[in-house]
Structure formats: structure tokens, C-alpha cells
């Protein structure tokens, strides 16, 4: 494994304000403006600062210049890196103050960690510790450390080796991590600890967490606000897992017709939860609309009506008769206890309107008693609206990949969320900066249909400039939600991104375009040089279903990473699944940011096989570059590969797909005749 060189700041407080990912990015920006004598002046800062996130959203370059001049009027004053960081914090604070409450997140998962406020919520910490005690109390490895004391910070000490977070991910989405890949020795060395955190972060992305500003070093240090933020996301994913038509088709009762069902499918899970809550409140005669999990729930009236509607056998007027908010909140919790769902909140949390804990409480009530009927005709309709297994797997892969890129929009359903064109424009701008003409783009919500078409026409136009195969395809096809076209476009975009990454790394030595054949040959060469005999004929080679080739490839790039005593011959479906699950976890443990499922390996899905192979190749080449480059700004921590890789991909000229003639290119192409 390559050694990690962090960006160090002499002031401990200043160092604590940023994650290592952020420090590396800011250091790169700082160095980019140095003049020939090697210095940065105050006058250089406005042009740089105005391009940084948060600042760019709220302040103009002139406003930035005015704020900076408050500390000094000498524009030729030399600025060191620490002064640069302090200036950025000042500007970020001003921008945040100016922003106020005008910008709200559309999803709890998009709420990335701020570096200005590092306080943690003690009630949230206590609630999450109780959750961990409940769900992991019998875990063979962790039970000797549990239960944790909710009143102390022992949670953060236990999180330092990465085992707890990995186990928690598996509680939220069972089977995400092959626990055989987790390092669970009593005392872990730095490499093993780093591997656990790398596995954790890549697996967290693979279940939908936003971890753009978190690096493995942040978890090794167990920074409380980052650890708690990640735990919060993982627990919410677990609690909201059933809030979709696939898991709970009875949710179709919340809507009237097919158009409403499409809208329901595109809603964030917490929005579905609010819709479910209001559905029952309306039936119970409650006149108000609940729009959030905070202020609208403080007085307890909505909870009282909801619990009476869902559990009439425990119904009472006493709760509503109570005048004191705290007394009413206590009565609500007593009623919830009768349903065995008194968790996550205290009466104080309800009265104070804690959004995260109220959301968790309502989700808990939904899990125990959703109160929805089983109308066979509506259930059949809901089942027709869900996708087949292959389409569903591809949608999931592209959704998680897009959400891992750190764009502003959080995607809940690819087929619904891309229809305005905005999401794909954000991804294209990330992959190929400057390719999007934002003056001709309209941000959702979009009332005028032709604006959606304009956005999607620009998507198609950029795709053609990148030499995607889009024969007779128009923007309106995306607006109409053509699933085959959407998947084909996103596949070409994902493949383009990966090939760009590889090209940029290879440019250190060769500088030629990367083809599918190059990836295939690299993998076979690696395995052969390691003394193994397995061979991959193509990305659809059926022998790959056993998983043995990929385990040999992973072992070839990092000999210590595969425990061969756990590997089977892959002769039965059960053995194939064991190998496939292990492959994915080992690859993530190395640092590969991948979103495929074991079934993709078992069924030899050639698209996902290509991406898996390319990801391993990228990790291997990237490590070689990092080891040969001693400058701090290019030293890369394996756990942060995906965060840096997007900028790497965007750094080079546009890549031409025309140079690749593999079957996979045709697989991603689409013409109007095929669509029809």
C-alpha cells in the first residue's frame, strides 16, 4: 500500500476546520496562482476564491475583493497557505450568512458536512449510540465493547479502527460488505485500519451516502462531526429502506393515477414519508399540512392524530387535551411504546423540533404500522410500474455513481430525475468542464415543458461532441423518460469517465488513448506475471462467473489483500456468490469506487465487468503514480481516490470514443429504430 502524505497546517485549530480532502483541494488552488517568484499576493485571491463552492454561490468577485480588503488594503501583500485558509473561512462564513435559509436541501443525504460548525448534537449522538447498542449488541466481534455509554464519547474511540462503521453499513443494507474482508484483529496496524476505512467509505457510497468531503484520515482521527454525520446517513438509509414501491407496493394508495405514481417514484424517501404521514392525518381530520420534521411537529398535535389513526385500539383524547407541550410529548411517547416504536426521540427532542430524530421516529412508526390497505388492483398496478431486475440493477448503479460525484442535485430515481436534463448537465460539467452552456440551461423546478427539452437537447449535443453513439436521438426522448436511451447514455458517460481517468494516468508514460482492449490486455498481463494461469477472453467470458480471475487480478496488484483460504472454485451458484461478494469488498478495500452487485459478476454483465476491471487498473496505475511523485499535492490516499478522480478525469482534453471498436461501444449506442 502507498504511504499517505497529508497536508499539514501548523495551527491545530485551523487544521481541524478542514478534512484532508478539502485541504488537498485548497492547497492545489493556492499553488495554482503562484507567480514566477513563487509567491501569492492578496490581489491574487479574489479570482481564486470566487470559484470555490459556497463562496461562488453567494458572492461576486467584487464582493470578495471588498471583504478581503477589510483586513489589508495592500494588494501586493504576500499570503501564505494558512492565511489563504483563514481568508477562505471568513468568506465562507460571509457567504453562509448571506445565504441564510434561502437554500434548503432536497434530501437529507445531500446535506454535506460543513467545516465552519463542528459542534455535534448530543441528543443525536445518544440516539445513534442506542441504535448501535440495539442492532450490533450481539455481533461476535463488537459485543465485547457494547453496550456503549450514551453519555460519553466512547463511540468515537470505537469507530477509529473502522470495524463498527463497516458493521453498521451491513445492518443498514445487509450483504453490502463481505465481513470476511474486514480486518478484525484485536490490534490493527495503520495499513489495516486504513483498509477498513477505505472499505467503509466506498461501501457507504455504494448504499447512497454522501461522503465527498470525508477521507480515511478523518475517520482514523474519528473527527466527531464527520463520524456522527456518516452514522446519521447510514441509520437513515436503514430506516427509510422500505419507503418505495418495490419494497412497499401498498404506498400506491397514496396517489390517484399513473401520473401521480411516476411522481411518487421520483420522490426522496423522506418526502414519501411526509406524504404518507399527511395521508393519514387528512383521513383523521387534521387540518394542517406537515411539511417538515421540525417546526410542524413541535406541538405534538400531528403525532397525536397520527397515532390515534394508526392504532385506534390505543387511541385517547388525553394527549390532545394536554396543554403543556412537554406533557403532550410524553403522552405521545407512552402511546408509541404500546406500538413498540418508542425510539430515537425524547420529549425534549419533539418539543425542540430535532429534524433528524423526528424523521427517525416517524420512520420507525411507519415500519411498525403503516396503516395502508392491500388493494389487489392497485398492488398489481404498482408492480407493473416497477422495473425488471436487470433494468433495476443498472438504474441503481448509475444512481449511486452520480450521487458519488458530489454534484449539487441528489438523485432518488434516475428515470424520473434526469427527465429535466439538469442532472445530466451537472454530471457532464463535472466530467468535461466548460462543455455546458449554463446560460441556455434551466434549473428545476421547471414549469415550461420546452425548457426541459432545451436542457435535454444540450445533453444530446454535448454527448455527440464527446462522440457518444446517439443516432437520431433527440432531447425529447429523455424528457419522455425512455429508459433504454437513458441507460445507454449514462453507460457511455460512465465509460467515458473511466477511460479518461486511465488515459490521464497513462499519460505520465505513454499519453495514448485507452481502449477496452488495453484494459483487457493489462488485466491478463497482470495475472500472467503473477504466475497464475487464468485468462479473460473478453468482458463477456462466461468463465468469469466463478470470480477466480478477478481474485487473482486483485492479488496480482496487491498480494496481501486476498485471503485465499476463503476462496472457492466457484463451481456452484452458492460458491460463485461467495466469491463475487468477496471480490467487490476486496476491491473497495483497496480503494476502488464501484457500484456493481454480486449478480453482475455471476451473470457476467459485460458493462459492469469492464468497469470493475478498469477500476482495478486505475487503482493500480494511480498507486504507481502516487509512489513515484513525492510532492504533497499529488500524494493520494487510497481511500480518497474517487474524490480526486473526478478532477483527474476533467483535466484532460475531450476523449474520442471513436477509437474504440469493442462490442461494448455498440452495447451503449442507441438509434431511434432500436428505441421503437
Amino acid at each position: 500500500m502507498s504511504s499517505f502524505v497529508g497536508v499539514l497546517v501548523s495551527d491545530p485549530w485551523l487544521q481541524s476546520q478542514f478534512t484532508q480532502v478539502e485541504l488537498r483541494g485548497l492547497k492545489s488552488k493556492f499553488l495554482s496562482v503562484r507567480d514566477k517568484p513563487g509567491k501569492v499576493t492578496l490581489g491574487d485571491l479574489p479570482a481564486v476564491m470566487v470559484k470555490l463552492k459556497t463562496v461562488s454561490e453567494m458572492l461576486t468577485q467584487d464582493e470578495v475583493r471588498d471583504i478581503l480588503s477589510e483586513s489589508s488594503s495592500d494588494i501586493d501583500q504576500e499570503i501564505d497557505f494558512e492565511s489563504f485558509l483563514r481568508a477562505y473561512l471568513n468568506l465562507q462564513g460571509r457567504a453562509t450568512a448571506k445565504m441564510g435559509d434561502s437554500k434548503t436541501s432536497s434530501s437529507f443525504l445531500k446535506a454535506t458536512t460543513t467545516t465552519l460548525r463542528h459542534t455535534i448534537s448530543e441528543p443525536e449522538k445518544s440516539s445513534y449510540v442506542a441504535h448501535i447498542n440495539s442492532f450490533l449488541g450481539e455481533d461476535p466481534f463488537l459485543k465485547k465493547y457494547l453496550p456503549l455509554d450514551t453519555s460519553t464519547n466512547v463511540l468515537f474511540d470505537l469507530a477509529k479502527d473502522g470495524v463498527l462503521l463497516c458493521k453498521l453499513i451491513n445492518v443498514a443494507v445487509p450483504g453490502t460488505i463481505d465481513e470476511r474482508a474486514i480486518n478484525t484483529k484485536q490490534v490493527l496496524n495503520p495499513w489495516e485500519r486504513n483498509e477498513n476505512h477505505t472499505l467503509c467509505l466506498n461501501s457507504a457510497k455504494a448504499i447512497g451516502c454522501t461522503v465527498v468531503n470525508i477521507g480515511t484520515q478523518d475517520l482514523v482521527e474519528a473527527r466527531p462531526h464527520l463520524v456522527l454525520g456518516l452514522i446519521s446517513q447510514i441509520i437513515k438509509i436503514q430506516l427509510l429502506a422500505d419507503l418505495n414501491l418495490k419494497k412497499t407496493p401498498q404506498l400506491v394508495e397514496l396517489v390517484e393515477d399513473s401520473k401521480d405514481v411516476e411522481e411518487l417514484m421520483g420522490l426522496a424517501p423522506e418526502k414519501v414519508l411526509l406524504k404518507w404521514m399527511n395521508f393519514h392525518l387528512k383521513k383523521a381530520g387534521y387540518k394542517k399540512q406537515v411539511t417538515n420534521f421540525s417546526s410542524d411537529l413541535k406541538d405534538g398535535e400531528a403525532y397525536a392524530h397520527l397515532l390515534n389513526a394508526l392504532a385506534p385500539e390505543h387511541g385517547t383524547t388525553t394527549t390532545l387535551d394536554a396543554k403543556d407541550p412537554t406533557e403532550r410529548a410524553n403522552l405521545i411517547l407512552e402511546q408509541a411504546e404500546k406500538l413498540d416504536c418508542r425510539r430515537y426521540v425524547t420529549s425534549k427532542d419533539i418539543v425542540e423540533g430535532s429534524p433528524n430524530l423526528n424523521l427517525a421516529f416517524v420512520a420507525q412508526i411507519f415500519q411498525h404500522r403503516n396503516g395502508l390497505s392491500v388493494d389487489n388492483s392497485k398492488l398489481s398496478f404498482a408492480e407493473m410500474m416497477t422495473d425488471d431486475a436487470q433494468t433495476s440493477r443498472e438504474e441503481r448503479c448509475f444512481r449511486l455513481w452520480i450521487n458519488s460525484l458530489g454534484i449539487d442535485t441528489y438523485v432518488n430515481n434516475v428515470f424520473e430525475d434526469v427527465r429535466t436534463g439538469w442532472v445530466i448537465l451537472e454530471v457532464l460539467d463535472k466530467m468535461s468542464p466548460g462543455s455546458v452552456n449554463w446560460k441556455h440551461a434551466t434549473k428545476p423546478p421547471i414549469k415550461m415543458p420546452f425548457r426541459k427539452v432545451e436542457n435535454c437537447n444540450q445533453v444530446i449535443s454535448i454527448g455527440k461532441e464527446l462522440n457518444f453513439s446517439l443516432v437520431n436521438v433527440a432531447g425529447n426522448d429523455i424528457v419522455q423518460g425512455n429508459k433504454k436511451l437513458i441507460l445507454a447514455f449514462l453507460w457511455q458517460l460512465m465509460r467515458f469517465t473511466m477511460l479518461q481517468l486511465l488515459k490521464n494516468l497513462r499519460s505520465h508514460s505513454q499519453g495514448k488513448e485507452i481502449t477496452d482492449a488495453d484494459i483487457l490486455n493489462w488485466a491478463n498481463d497482470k495475472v500472467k506475471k503473477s504466475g497464475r494461469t487464468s485468462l479473460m477472453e473478453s468482458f463477456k467470458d462466461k468463465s468469469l462467473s466463478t470470480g477466480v480471475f478477478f481474485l487473482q487480478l486483485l492479488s496480482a496488484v496487491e498480494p496481501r489483500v486476498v485471503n485465499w483460504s476463503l476462496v472457492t472454485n466457484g463451481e456452484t451458484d452458492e460458491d460463485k456468490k461467495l466469491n463475487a461478494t468477496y471480490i467487490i469488498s476486496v476491491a473497495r478495500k483497496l480503494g476502488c469506487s464501484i457500484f456493481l452487485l454480486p449478480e453482475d459478476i455471476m451473470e457476467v454483465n459485460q458493462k459492469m465487468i469492464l468497469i470493475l476491471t478498469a477500476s482495478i487498473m486505475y487503482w493500480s496505475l494511480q498507486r504507481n503514480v502516487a509512489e513515484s511523485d513525492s510532492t504533497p499535492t499529488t500524494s493520494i490516499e487510497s481511500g480518497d481516490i474517487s474524490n480526486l478522480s473526478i478532477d483527474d478525469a476533467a483535466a484532460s482534453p475531450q476523449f474520442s470514443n471513436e477509437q474504440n471498436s469493442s462490442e461494448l461501444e455498440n452495447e451503449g449506442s442507441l438509434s431511434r429504430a432500436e428505441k421503437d
Side-chain angles (χ1 to χ4, degrees), residues 211-267:
V211 297
V212 175
N213 288 327
I214 307 176
T216 56
Q217 189 62 25
D218 299 311
L219 297 183
V220 168
E221 295 172 6
R223 295 190 175 188
H225 67 291
L226 294 175
V227 171
L228 204 64
L230 181 56
I231 288 173
S232 175
Q233 289 190 70
I234 295 169
I235 291 175
K236 285 173 184 173
I237 285 172
Q238 175 186 344
L239 293 174
L240 299 176
D242 293 340
L243 281 150
N244 58 74
L245 284 178
K246 188 173 183 180
K247 292 283 186 69
T248 312
Q250 294 90 341
L251 285 168
V252 76
E253 188 179 347
L254 306 183
V255 298
E256 297 296 330
D257 54 37
S258 59
K259 185 177 180 181
D260 291 334
V261 171
E262 290 181 358
E263 182 185 339
L264 182 68
M265 292 172 68
L267 287 179

Side-chain angles (χ1 to χ4, degrees), residues 524-533 552-553 555-557:
N524 281 327
D525 187 54
K526 273 288 181 185
V527 172
K528 184 178 179 180
K529 285 182 177 178
S530 71
R532 306 281 183 174
T533 57
Q552 292 182 353
L553 177 60
S555 181
V557 299

Side-chain angles (χ1 to χ4, degrees), residues 146-163:
L146 302 179
L148 300 174
D149 186 342
T150 59
S151 65
T152 69
N153 287 327
V154 68
L155 165 67
F156 305 115
D157 292 329
L158 186 56
K160 286 182 178 179
D161 67 6
V163 177

Side-chain angles (χ1 to χ4, degrees), residues 123-124 174 244 270 315 319 325 341 484 540 582 594 631:
E124 285 188 30
N244 58 74
E270 67 270 28
T319 307
C341 54
K484 187 175 181 182
K540 59 179 183 179
Y582 189 53
I594 50 177
T631 59

Side-chain angles (χ1 to χ4, degrees), residues 604-618:
V604 193
N605 179 330
Q606 57 179 330
K607 295 179 188 177
M608 297 303 126
I609 293 293
L610 168 63
I611 293 298
L612 173 61
T613 312
S615 297
I616 298 170
M617 179 180 179
Y618 174 69

Side-chain angles (χ1 to χ4, degrees), residues 593-606:
S593 185
I594 50 177
F595 304 97
L596 76 167
L597 291 170
E599 289 78 7
D600 292 315
I601 298 175
M602 294 168 66
E603 297 170 13
V604 193
N605 179 330
Q606 57 179 330

